Amino acid sequence: MEAMAFHSSSSTTSSILSSAASSSASNRSGHRPSRSFLPFTHFTMRRPEVLSALKIADSTPPQPDSLPADIRNAKEAKLWGGRFEESVTDAVERFTESISYDKELYKHDIMGSKAHASMLAAQGLMSISDRDSIFKGLSEIERRIENGDFAWRTDREDVHMNIEAALTDLIGEPAKKLHTARSRNDQVLTDFRLWCRDAIDAILERINHLQVALVTLALKNKGLIVPGYTHLQRAQPVLLPHLLLAFVEQLERDAGRLSDCRVRLNFCPLGACALAGTGLPIDRFMTSNALKFTAPMRNSIDAVSDRDFALEFLSANSITAIHLSRLGEEWVLWASEEFGFITPNDSVSTGSSIMPQKKNPDPMELVRGKSARVVGDLVTVLTLCKGLPLAYNRDLQEDKEPVFDSVKTILGMLEVSAEFAQNITFNQERIQKALPAGHLDATTLADYLVKKGVPFRTSHDIVGKAVAICVGKNCQLQDLSLDEMTIINSAFEEDVYEFLGVENAVNKFCSYGSTGSDCVASQLDYWVTKLYIEQ
């Protein structure tokens, strides 16, 4: 049997890509069948009260209420069932179905079927009349699905069988020619690659939106100096735009990884059939071109067994999630009373059910938390693929839900991060008061001594002694008199005060990519141009 793998899931996948197109996503949810395992039902003696309490269904697979009772209760003959004398059990049907989540692929399944039908007609494997009937029927099915008028049937297992069976109901005999020279194995991978390609485009758009929000925030706070940290200890003064642009750079690498992934996944499996190809005279280049793939996949066995594209996609999403988690952590810390560097607007904050004074940056805490899901999705598919023999195995049915979940989660994380960036205020007065602590100009003072000819290791030791004096006196480096400095080392001169204080320190940075005012201005100009931001 060339059956593709299918899986019973715990929640219905939302219409991810369509929700990405609008600023406020509206998710579609559907019914998911519950599972019933024979050992459990055996040991509980199928007691109704036990099954009810645990919400485990002890019934036939659910069917749409819109269907007549005789159809809902009858088992339809499987399209692959010619050599079988018995139907699968209800438990197997519930456990192996995938329609509850892979209906997400309907648009791409219809797109692939139209390309396949066109090729079959061009190769003389189907008449033009049959092709036109198939086109018309598929368009009608797509219209019904998008209008919510299509009855998804669990007994038809998956999105492919639902659409093909509905097409047969609609146009009759010509529909039976559509599966010529293809298998569900190559069909689902074609759908999946098309879906991932669209998902990558949606994520890239959201990344761009967040980059624009961060650069716009940087432009609003051009001259603002903040403490820079290493080990969460105060280190050196930096310009806030410089810090924000660090996240923009991370996002740019994320976009690059996704774009590279898109290039590698954009090869067409259609026509590889179950694993060995076909003896029929098909034109795989025609279908590949029609679906805007770069080319057909060269090896039919690789075509139906490859999941590298999904792993690479999930990996890229995971790295993006980690970056967003770090951004979330930064802002959660800065919104705390201890830092007080930012105040989120009420529109991106939540309160406490018991403490009336609380104002929490919950969206960014959830961004930080949801990164765990995205990493988990990657680990799920990595583990799934480990040790699988060639070519197609039923295990691979489990690849879609983690990818769907990863995409949905990343899109949400990117959207709310941009929303948060557009609704925060930096508390300049609080930041200004916080700057003197920590002797942030110490490294600049060491650079001063290097310019005077003192070896850096020696200058490091000298400045360390100066800091120790300041700690004892509870003052800043700029508060030390020249006499106190020359006692430490004779290299200090009157011009030393041009290097002290956070403003002077920032202005002394001049290396490419540094936090110096001119350098940051150049970085901002680069991103304003690259992202087409109007000032």
Side-chain angles (χ1 to χ4, degrees):
M1 182 175 70
E2 53 130 29
M4 220 188 73
F6 310 104
H7 164 62
S8 175
S9 58
S10 58
S11 62
T12 302
T13 304
S14 302
S15 182
I16 299 168
L17 299 180
S18 60
S19 70
S22 61
S23 56
S24 60
S26 61
N27 295 330
R28 297 178 301 184
S29 61
H31 178 73
R32 303 297 300 261
S34 51
R35 295 179 178 176
S36 176
F37 298 100
L38 182 58
F40 176 83
T41 54
H42 172 73
F43 287 120
T44 58
M45 304 298 290
R46 294 185 179 267
R47 289 181 302 183
E49 66 275 14
V50 176
L51 295 170
S52 175
L54 292 174
K55 298 188 178 178
I56 295 177
D58 188 28
S59 60
T60 55
Q63 300 293 341
D65 292 338
S66 58
L67 292 174
D70 59 334
I71 296 179
R72 289 204 308 271
N73 297 326
K75 285 199 172 187
E76 184 175 69
K78 305 295 185 185
L79 295 181
W80 45 259
R83 62 97 65 208
F84 289 83
E85 295 181 2
E86 296 181 20
S87 299
V88 298
T89 67
D90 292 344
V92 168
E93 190 159 84
R94 287 194 297 273
F95 188 65
T96 58
E97 69 81 27
S98 64
I99 188 57
S100 50
Y101 56 86
D102 71 12
K103 61 185 177 184
E104 180 72 34
L105 301 172
Y106 80 87
K107 188 178 290 291
H108 304 92
D109 195 73
I110 290 171
M111 188 189 313
S113 289
K114 286 182 175 180
H116 188 65
S118 290
M119 181 275 295
L120 292 175
Q123 295 300 107
L125 296 169
M126 172 189 295
S127 69
I128 299 299
S129 173
D130 286 346
R131 180 203 65 187
D132 292 345
S133 294
I134 288 170
F135 266 48
K136 186 177 179 181
L138 288 172
S139 295
E140 172 60 18
I141 289 169
E142 184 172 13
R143 185 195 68 78
R144 291 180 186 179
I145 293 171
E146 292 180 348
N147 288 344
D149 297 330
F150 187 82
W152 295 105
R153 291 180 54 154
T154 305
D155 62 332
R156 288 176 175 174
E157 300 181 10
D158 59 42
V159 63
H160 324 294
M161 293 300 214
N162 265 267
I163 290 175
E164 185 179 338
L167 184 64
T168 303
D169 292 344
L170 201 61
I171 68 170
E173 204 64 20
K176 296 180 181 180
K177 299 179 181 180
L178 180 57
H179 209 56
T180 303
R182 77 174 180 186
S183 157
R184 280 186 292 175
N185 295 356
D186 60 335
Q187 185 181 359
V188 69
L189 273 165
T190 302
D191 296 356
F192 200 21
R193 284 173 181 263
L194 289 169
W195 188 94
C196 288
R197 192 173 71 184
D198 286 350
I200 287 173
D201 291 343
I203 294 170
L204 288 172
E205 186 177 336
R206 287 275 173 90
I207 286 176
N208 179 270
H209 185 50
L210 177 54
Q211 286 180 305
V212 169
L214 290 170
V215 173
T216 302
L217 190 60
L219 291 168
K220 290 179 181 177
N221 296 274
K222 268 189 179 179
L224 182 57
I225 300 172
V226 297
Y229 295 83
T230 63
H231 310 278
L232 263 184
Q233 304 296 314
R234 286 168 174 250
Q236 293 177 276
V238 297
L239 286 169
L240 175 64
H242 191 218
L243 185 146
L244 294 174
L245 292 180
F247 290 108
V248 177
E249 295 283 354
Q250 291 178 354
L251 290 165
E252 187 67 11
R253 292 193 296 275
D254 295 331
R257 272 182 287 271
L258 286 165
S259 296
D260 289 346
C261 175
R262 192 187 192 284
V263 170
R264 274 184 287 277
L265 75 76
N266 199 39
F267 289 84
C268 186
L270 198 58
C273 299
L275 80 161
T278 179
L280 295 170
I282 63 172
D283 184 348
R284 293 188 63 209
F285 288 89
M286 179 179 176
T287 48
S288 175
N289 290 337
L291 295 170
K292 296 184 171 59
F293 283 112
T294 304
M297 295 184 74
R298 279 189 298 267
N299 185 293
S300 63
I301 297 175
D302 180 54
V304 297
S305 61
D306 170 52
R307 291 302 184 279
D308 291 358
F309 70 95
L311 291 171
E312 186 175 1
F313 187 16
L314 290 169
S315 177
N317 280 352
S318 296
I319 297 172
T320 303
I322 296 303
H323 289 156
L324 296 174
S325 179
R326 296 185 71 180
L327 174 63
E329 171 68 2
E330 197 88 26
W331 282 349
V332 167
L333 281 174
W334 282 22
S336 68
E337 194 64 39
E338 284 68 26
F339 278 80
F341 290 176
I342 65 170
T343 299
N345 292 351
D346 290 353
S347 59
V348 291
S349 305
T350 63
S352 165
S353 63
I354 189 172
M355 295 169 284
Q357 83 282 9
K358 292 294 294 297
K359 183 177 180 180
N360 303 323
D362 278 9
M364 298 313 294
E365 292 181 52
L366 278 171
V367 165
R368 190 177 59 190
K370 283 181 181 290
S371 64
R373 284 179 84 108
V374 181
V375 174
D377 291 329
L378 169 61
V379 173
T380 296
V381 182
L382 280 170
T383 308
L384 170 69
C385 292
K386 187 192 79 64
L388 281 181
L390 292 174
Y392 184 81
N393 297 274
R394 192 83 185 234
D395 315 51
L396 292 170
Q397 174 175 309
E398 298 288 315
D399 60 357
K400 288 161 209 65
E401 284 186 294
V403 173
F404 291 164
D405 181 71
S406 176
V407 170
K408 176 184 175 183
T409 305
I410 277 289
L411 287 170
M413 291 170 71
L414 287 163
E415 181 180 31
V416 81
S417 295
E419 196 86 2
F420 202 85
Q422 294 164 348
N423 288 279
I424 58 173
T425 303
F426 284 89
N427 304 323
Q428 298 197 23
E429 187 177 340
R430 177 73 175 265
I431 293 169
Q432 199 68 34
K433 287 179 180 178
L435 282 172
H439 307 98
L440 300 177
D441 50 358
T443 306
T444 308
L445 183 58
D447 290 344
Y448 165 84
L449 290 171
V450 169
K451 290 181 178 180
K452 295 291 184 179
V454 180
F456 178 76
R457 283 297 173 201
T458 305
S459 68
H460 186 284
D461 184 62
I462 292 167
V463 175
K465 291 175 181 176
V467 169
I469 292 172
C470 289
V471 170
K473 294 181 63 175
N474 193 26
C475 69
Q476 301 301 309
L477 286 167
Q478 62 188 347
D479 297 329
L480 294 177
S481 67
L482 185 58
D483 289 341
E484 288 173 307
M485 290 190 179
T486 53
I487 289 172
I488 302 170
N489 191 277
S490 59
F492 287 116
E493 298 179 20
E494 190 67 40
D495 61 347
V496 69
Y497 294 103
E498 297 173 12
F499 288 75
L500 296 175
V502 292
E503 290 83 3
N504 285 332
V506 165
N507 289 331
K508 293 301 179 185
F509 285 100
C510 60
S511 61
Y512 177 79
S514 72
T515 199
S517 300
D518 291 342
C519 298
V520 174
S522 176
Q523 292 176 49
L524 275 171
D525 288 344
Y526 170 83
W527 285 110
V528 165
T529 301
K530 184 175 178 64
L531 299 172
Y532 303 101
I533 297 173
E534 294 183 7
Q535 297 189 70

